[in-house]
Amino acid sequence: MIKATKVLNSLSILFFMAILLLVYAYLPIMVDLNVEGLKDFHKQTFFYYIVGGFVVVNVILKLITSLGAKHLPKEPQAWLSAIIFVINFNITLIVGFIGVWNNPAHIEPESFAYLNYMGPVLIVIWVVGLIFLFFKKK
């Protein structure tokens, strides 16, 4: 199970990079995040902020999971290390939605609003599964 989570974590990183590069290719020069108080970003600045944030989040999660899972049995240890996949998938969905929002071909972002909800739903499912895993009777 631990090997499977490592493979999923690696695939989530590759999936994130593929989506980010695809979004970057179709972004206009100025990226509109449509948030009050934030100005438009240049697409290169957006790219480097997203990559930097992704790396920081992954390093922090890797440290937390490696330190927190040392004294756990194998199954909860694998489940805990799967949080990296879940968070990476959530970040990928957010980047994908930003790409849809800024698509110059004028794709309707409302039809892709589900991308904003899939990540938190996946995190909730992961937490409920982890709670179930810790409290199930053996």
Side-chain angles (χ1 to χ4, degrees):
M1 181 87 167
I2 293 174
K3 289 181 182 180
T5 58
K6 288 182 181 182
V7 169
L8 279 177
N9 292 342
S10 299
L11 288 176
S12 70
I13 292 170
L14 291 175
F15 184 61
F16 168 77
M17 289 306 296
I19 294 298
L20 181 62
L21 291 174
L22 181 67
V23 165
Y24 179 77
Y26 286 105
L27 282 177
I29 296 298
M30 297 306 287
V31 179
D32 176 26
L33 296 181
N34 199 21
V35 178
E36 291 182 25
L38 285 179
K39 297 181 179 177
D40 293 346
F41 286 102
H42 192 276
K43 75 187 227 178
Q44 288 178 341
T45 306
F46 171 76
F47 177 81
Y48 289 122
Y49 279 163
I50 293 294
V51 169
F54 185 78
V55 169
V56 167
V57 166
N58 274 282
V59 167
I60 289 171
L61 285 174
K62 185 65 176 168
L63 288 173
I64 289 172
T65 57
S66 64
L67 294 175
K70 282 184 178 179
H71 303 293
L72 292 175
K74 293 290 183 189
E75 195 170 310
Q77 184 179 7
W79 195 266
L80 185 63
S81 68
I83 189 67
I84 298 171
F85 166 75
V86 172
I87 298 296
N88 286 348
F89 192 71
N90 189 16
I91 294 171
T92 304
L93 291 174
I94 291 169
V95 168
F97 185 74
I98 291 172
V100 167
W101 188 268
N102 287 283
N103 192 342
H106 303 295
I107 296 175
E108 293 182 26
E110 294 83 24
S111 61
F112 290 94
Y114 67 91
L115 293 176
N116 292 325
Y117 302 112
M118 283 178 59
V121 166
L122 187 60
I123 291 171
V124 168
I125 290 171
W126 180 86
V127 169
V128 168
L130 185 62
I131 292 169
F132 176 75
L133 185 66
F134 278 127
F135 290 115
K136 77 175 184 178
K137 295 186 179 189
K138 295 185 179 202

